[in-house]
Amino acid sequence: MKFRTTVVTATLIAVSVPAALSVAPAFAGTTAVVRLHGTVAQLEQNAADARAGYEAVLAKETARRQELTALLRSGWFPEAIQARQDAATAAVRQAEVAKAEADRVRAERNDAIDALPATTTDDERVAALRELGKADLAAKAAAATLAGAEQELAAAAEQGQDWRVGLVQQVSVSEGAVADALAVSQAADRALADARAAEAQRPTPTPTPTPTPAVPTGGTATATAGATVAAEAGAAGSVRVEDTAVTVPTSPTAAASVGSTPTAPVVHEGELAETGSSSASTVLAIAGVATMALGAGAVVVARRRKGDADR
């Protein structure tokens, strides 16, 4: 039985079936690989391709299922299967006729033996028995031939049934191809929807404006970069005061002149916010203190020299 099933399967593959019944090329040729990640533009193109592939598969597989359904309803079989069934049917009919004739002859021979008169010699009786034996062998052979023909007819019928089952399976495969193409299209649509939602939730960065300092047009702004007062106590007890001024150009003409022609620093004397006194008062005060320190130092030195002279 296993060998016969293998032969039937091979026959099903070899039979002449319309080319449109091929499943794999129909789906594989129209379905692209699904992209689940990428930019919105890439996913939009991917979704469009998947949708077009699904529509193509749907149209092709719909026509395919219509052909398969028509074959199932018509009762048509491929030529090889139909020829086998026709030959098996004819062999069964011929075997049935032969068996019926053999059975009739055997019955006649048996009846002839029963009808032998009592005056029949032994030789005649032996001859009648031999004819009955031949008729019995012929009837048995006819019965075996009929059984073989009936088995072949059953195998041919089962082959045809297997072929029809194959058609039903191809209908199922066709439906599965459509379902797979639809799943691909739906997956592409979901990936596109997710990408659009993620892009909508992503905050848009706001550029930070760079502050531009307001510079008046024309003129020259002079600012004191710093005033350094250094008091150096040395042997002579000298004091040095430095005031450094920086000139800042505020016009294109003044900016162009910077670095080419040295400009004398302009010193602006500031004013104290609390008293309103001039900044020169500080310099005079420091000079007075230094003078007093020098005088005191001179007195001390003079006394020491006088003490030394008295000794």
Side-chain angles (χ1 to χ4, degrees):
M1 185 65 180
K2 182 177 181 181
F3 175 77
R4 188 195 61 77
T5 305
T6 305
V7 173
V8 170
T9 304
T11 306
L12 286 175
I13 297 176
V15 294
S16 58
V17 182
L21 299 183
S22 178
V23 178
F27 181 60
T30 53
T31 303
V33 178
V34 184
R35 179 191 294 271
L36 299 180
H37 303 284
T39 63
V40 173
Q42 291 174 338
L43 294 177
E44 286 177 348
Q45 183 62 42
N46 183 70
D49 293 341
R51 194 174 303 110
Y54 163 68
E55 293 175 354
V57 171
L58 178 62
K60 191 167 188 176
E61 295 302 327
T62 299
R64 172 184 170 79
R65 288 197 302 273
Q66 291 176 352
E67 293 180 2
L68 294 172
T69 303
L71 287 175
L72 288 170
R73 291 178 178 177
S74 65
W76 178 85
F77 290 104
E79 183 178 357
I81 296 178
Q82 189 65 51
R84 183 183 181 185
Q85 290 181 351
D86 294 342
T89 301
V92 168
R93 291 176 180 175
Q94 184 177 359
E96 288 175 347
V97 172
K99 183 177 180 300
E101 179 64 18
D103 290 340
R104 184 188 65 79
V105 172
R106 184 178 58 181
E108 287 181 355
R109 296 294 185 268
N110 191 32
D111 293 340
I113 292 175
D114 292 338
L116 288 175
T119 58
T120 303
T121 63
D122 293 337
D123 293 335
E124 291 176 345
R125 187 176 296 278
V126 170
L129 291 174
R130 288 176 179 172
E131 293 297 328
L132 177 61
K134 292 179 181 180
D136 186 63
L137 291 176
K140 290 180 179 179
T145 301
L146 177 60
E150 290 175 344
Q151 185 176 0
E152 173 62 18
L153 180 60
E158 187 173 356
Q159 181 183 8
Q161 186 63 27
D162 290 342
W163 185 81
R164 293 178 66 83
V165 170
L167 292 182
V168 175
Q169 291 176 347
Q170 291 185 49
V171 172
S172 178
V173 170
S174 178
E175 294 174 349
V178 175
D180 291 342
L182 179 59
V184 168
S185 179
Q186 291 175 344
D189 290 340
R190 285 194 299 269
L192 176 58
D194 293 342
R196 286 175 174 172
E199 185 177 13
Q201 294 177 358
R202 187 180 301 114
T204 303
T206 303
T208 304
T210 303
T212 303
V215 179
T217 304
T220 302
T222 304
T224 300
T228 304
V229 178
E232 297 180 355
S238 61
V239 177
R240 185 181 61 190
V241 178
E242 294 180 357
D243 192 3
T244 305
V246 178
T247 302
V248 180
T250 58
S251 65
T253 305
S257 64
V258 174
S260 59
T261 304
T263 303
V266 179
V267 178
H268 291 271
E269 296 181 354
E271 294 181 355
L272 297 179
E274 297 295 336
T275 62
S277 299
S278 173
S279 62
S281 299
T282 304
V283 178
L284 293 176
I286 295 174
V289 172
T291 303
M292 293 175 64
L294 290 175
V299 172
V300 171
V301 171
R303 287 181 178 180
R304 287 181 179 179
R305 287 180 179 177
K306 183 178 181 180
D308 294 338
D310 291 341
R311 292 176 186 176

